[in-house]
């Protein structure tokens, strides 16, 4: 049999197998309304469209089937969307029925890309609420120091002239540096090579996720491992982090777990609890790389999620600085005068919190939330049968644009959440970190992002520092916000737009953030 015939036969076999898989899935979900084509073959037209028009598809389904279920075609599966009461019912189901982590490892193919030890034992993610959140106050001054130095080094002081900088690249570097102050400590967090390695891995991981959804499920075990060279990234990162881990291990061996001057960072927290193979340098390094890119679907503790969210907020601020800058400045200066640059002060910056939350609401990092994989057949209260193996989610952007949830939902209102605060209970209710069925940036319920407290703290610190130290505007004093970039379920801040910075010119009552 010649090569051409082998190719033809092989392609036909793959096409037939793919058809059988898709046809079976289509017949099992036939009772659920479809946005687009229901035919298993024609549905691939919609799968292609979804890569660029997912926001529109999800909005259409939400409008037509609010409170119930609908499905859309992806390249490798049908995705069932639940909204309103149906989403709440889905969210409350036990993990052995509807699994969040199984959706992640399956949908993003991480179970094939990363080592089994990482995907099946994610103890480092459990340390986020146990260690990271509880150490936010103790580590606040460390993170602030990196934010301060990051802005000083990346934003040149040109007097009354503007410095035109690539927004995402600038924010990404500051976020990477500040986050790694907690992840790996000082001085490695300031190492340019370390920063570049982590930022490069984050971007490559994002591309790998986008490509993973294009691979049919039965081919993922073969092709998914080729999407990301994890071994090379771990090898490169081990050159920097490995000696630090080995030195700390020597301190453990000599003095015990509470050795003198023990660093308080994520590497230490992992070493305190890791056992067996998880104590190896390569394992620890891989987990740090994952912290720098946990992915917008998985955790808001990742640097990738931070810099996207902060860049979104920066674009909104720079598009209308004459409206938003002064109210933010006044709040930051008042609060810092009372409480200093502390974590306590961050909780009192209600306008800063509201600005970031509103930016996150209207520029959701992902079009979907509350992701679940059905581990068994389940019938919902409205009679909808979800077969085992079905992928489900809630349409986040459509939820955020629902007039039933928000007044004038398509408009950016930075004080939307600070204006409604009254009593202490209302203040807590509308904070950025608090989730509800109408605000799904962090998910909702027991699987809500564990890193959201760290995220909110760092983002508010960065915005507060920015507004009291710099004037900002878009190029050519434009008021047109750089358009978002959509790919499948991802909503990314514009990667190429520039923002103009200059040291604050209004010195009347100016607040100098230099200590």
């Amino acid at each position: 049999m010649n090569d051409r015939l082998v190719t033809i036969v092989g392609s036909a076999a793959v096409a037939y197998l793919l058809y059988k898989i898709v046809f079976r899935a289509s017949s099992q979900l036939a009772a659920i309304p479809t946005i687009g084509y229901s035919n298993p073959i024609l549905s691939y037209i919609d799968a292609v469209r979804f890569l660029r028009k997912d926001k529109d598809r999800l909005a259409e389904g939400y409008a037509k089937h609010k409170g119930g279920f609908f499905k859309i075609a992806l390249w490798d599966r049908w995705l069932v969307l639940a909204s309103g009461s149906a989403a709440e019912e889905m969210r409350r189901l036990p993990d052995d029925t509807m699994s969040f982590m199984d959706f992640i490892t399956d949908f993003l193919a991480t179970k094939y890309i990363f080592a089994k030890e990482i995907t099946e034992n994610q103890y480092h993610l459990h340390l986020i609420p146990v260690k990271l959140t509880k150490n936010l106050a103790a580590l606040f001054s460390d993170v602030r120091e990196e934010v301060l130095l990051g802005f000083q080094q990346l934003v040149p002081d040109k007097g009354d002239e503007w410095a035109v900088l690539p927004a995402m690249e600038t924010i990404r570097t500051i976020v990477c540096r500040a986050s790694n102050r907690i992840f790996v400590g000082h001085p490695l967090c300031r190492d340019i090579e370390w920063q570049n390695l982590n930022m490069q891995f984050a971007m490559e991981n994002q591309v790998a996720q986008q490509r993973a959804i294009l691979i049919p499920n039965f081919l993922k075990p073969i092709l998914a491992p080729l999407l990301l060279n994890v071994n090379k990234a771990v090898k490169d990162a081990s050159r920097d982090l490995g000696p630090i881990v080995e030195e700390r291990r020597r301190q453990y061996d000599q003095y015990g777990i509470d050795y003198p001057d023990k660093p308080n960072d994520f590497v230490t927290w992992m070493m305190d609890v890791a056992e067996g193979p998880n104590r190896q340098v390569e394992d620890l390094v891989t987990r740090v790389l994952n912290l720098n890119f946990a992915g917008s679907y998985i955790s808001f503790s990742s640097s990738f999620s931070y810099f996207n969210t902060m860049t979104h907020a920066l674009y909104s601020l720079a598009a209308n600085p004459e409206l938003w800058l002064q109210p933010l400045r006044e709040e930051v200066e008042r609060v810092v005068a009372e409480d200093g640059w502390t974590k306590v002060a961050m909780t009192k910056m209600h306008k800063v919190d509201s600005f970031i939350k509103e930016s996150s609401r209207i520029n959701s990092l992902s079009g979907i939330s509350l992701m679940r994989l059905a581990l068994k057949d389940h019938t919902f209260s409205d009679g909808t049968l979800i077969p085992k193996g079905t992928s489900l989610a809630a349409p986040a952007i459509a939820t955020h644009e629902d007039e039933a949830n928000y007044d004038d939902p398509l408009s950016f209102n930075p004080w939307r959440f600070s204006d409604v605060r009254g009593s202490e209970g209302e203040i807590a209710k509308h904070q950025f970190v608090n989730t509800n069925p109408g605000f799904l940036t962090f998910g909702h319920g027991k699987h809500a992002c564990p890193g959201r407290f760290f995220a909110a703290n760092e983002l508010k610190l960065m915005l507060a520092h920015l507004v009291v130290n710099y004037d900002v505007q878009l190029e050519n004093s434009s008021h047109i916000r750089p358009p978002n970039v959509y790919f499948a379920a991802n909503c990314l801040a514009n990667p190429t737009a520039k923002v103009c910075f200059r040291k604050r010119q209004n010195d009347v009552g100016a607040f100098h953030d230099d200590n």
Side-chain angles (χ1 to χ4, degrees), residues 157-173:
D157 185 352
K158 304 177 70 174
D160 60 356
E161 295 184 9
W162 294 95
V164 183
L165 302 175
M168 177 171 283
E169 182 180 336
T170 302
I171 295 301
R172 180 174 60 194
T173 303

Side-chain angles (χ1 to χ4, degrees), residues 195-480:
Q195 294 172 12
N196 289 338
L197 187 153
N198 278 277
M199 289 188 291
Q200 180 66 26
F201 183 76
M203 298 311 295
E204 290 176 354
N205 207 334
Q206 172 66 15
V207 172
Q209 285 190 1
Q210 293 173 351
R211 292 176 177 173
I213 65 175
L214 302 178
I215 302 174
N217 270 340
F218 70 95
L219 290 178
K220 282 184 178 177
I222 300 171
L223 299 181
L226 306 177
L227 295 176
L228 185 66
N229 195 339
V230 176
N231 291 336
K232 181 181 185 302
V234 171
K235 181 180 178 181
D236 292 342
S238 295
R239 287 197 296 266
D240 296 317
L241 187 55
I244 294 174
V245 171
E246 295 296 351
E247 174 57 30
R248 295 185 188 186
R249 189 169 289 153
R250 284 192 289 271
Q251 296 289 331
Y252 274 113
D253 294 341
Q254 184 172 354
Y255 299 106
I257 192 170
D258 294 319
Y259 62 84
D261 300 319
K262 182 179 179 181
N264 189 25
D265 57 37
F266 217 100
V267 171
T268 293
W269 303 335
M270 288 194 295
M271 294 180 70
D272 282 348
V273 300
E275 298 178 348
N278 298 134
R279 290 184 59 83
Q280 299 300 316
V281 169
E282 292 76 12
D283 186 278
L284 295 169
V285 168
T286 305
R287 294 176 193 277
V288 170
L289 289 172
N290 272 267
L291 286 171
N292 275 282
F293 184 87
S296 57
Y297 296 106
I298 306 174
S299 172
F300 212 83
S301 64
S302 70
S303 295
F304 180 85
S305 297
Y306 292 171
F307 75 70
N308 262 288
T309 302
M310 185 62 198
T311 306
H312 277 306
L314 175 59
Y315 287 151
S316 296
L317 178 63
N320 289 287
E322 68 282 357
L323 296 178
W324 317 135
L325 200 53
Q326 192 58 32
L328 291 170
R329 280 178 175 167
E330 290 173 358
E331 177 181 74
V332 173
E333 291 171 355
R334 174 181 55 79
V335 171
V336 171
E338 297 172 356
D339 295 288
W341 285 100
T342 60
K343 181 180 179 297
V344 171
M346 296 299 107
T347 66
K348 297 181 179 180
M349 295 181 185
H350 300 156
K351 287 185 181 295
V352 172
D353 186 277
S354 179
F355 194 98
I356 296 172
K357 182 173 182 178
E358 175 70 349
S359 175
S360 175
R361 179 193 71 84
I362 210 164
N363 303 291
S364 300
L365 289 179
S366 175
I368 60 174
S369 186
L370 307 181
M371 293 76 70
R372 299 290 190 270
L373 182 69
L375 300 186
K376 60 178 71 170
D377 293 352
H378 179 77
T379 301
F380 280 80
S381 59
D382 67 352
T384 300
L385 172 64
I386 299 296
K388 176 182 178 180
T390 303
S391 297
L392 301 94
I397 294 177
T399 300
H400 293 170
E401 295 181 350
D402 188 344
E403 291 183 350
N405 296 326
Y406 301 98
D407 294 332
D408 193 13
L410 299 182
S411 296
F412 177 74
N413 175 6
W415 322 134
R416 184 184 298 275
F417 301 102
S418 57
D419 284 348
V420 296
R421 296 182 180 189
S423 65
E424 283 298 315
E426 283 296 303
I427 289 174
K429 178 181 177 181
H430 296 288
Q431 285 181 334
F432 183 34
V433 295
N434 280 1
T435 67
N436 61 65
F439 181 69
L440 300 176
T441 292
F442 296 119
H444 183 44
K446 62 182 176 180
H447 290 297
C449 167
R452 64 190 187 277
F453 300 97
F454 176 40
N457 196 59
E458 185 170 335
L459 291 168
K460 287 193 286 186
L461 172 60
M462 289 184 67
L463 183 59
H465 173 81
L466 174 66
V467 299
V468 296
N469 286 281
Y470 298 95
D471 296 328
V472 294
Q473 65 178 32
L474 296 177
E475 284 190 286
N476 303 314
S477 299
S478 172
H479 291 284
I480 301 176

Side-chain angles (χ1 to χ4, degrees), residues 1-20 216 218-219:
M1 187 178 294
N2 60 39
D3 293 342
R4 183 179 180 184
L5 185 57
V6 169
T7 301
I8 294 173
V9 172
S11 299
V14 169
Y16 176 75
L17 180 58
L18 186 58
Y19 174 82
K20 293 290 286 185
F218 70 95
L219 290 178

Side-chain angles (χ1 to χ4, degrees), residues 497-514:
K498 295 181 179 179
V499 169
C500 306
F501 296 81
R502 72 179 177 189
K503 289 294 289 185
R504 180 176 174 179
Q505 296 297 295
N506 177 16
D507 286 330
V508 179
F511 184 93
H512 296 288
D513 181 17
D514 55 5

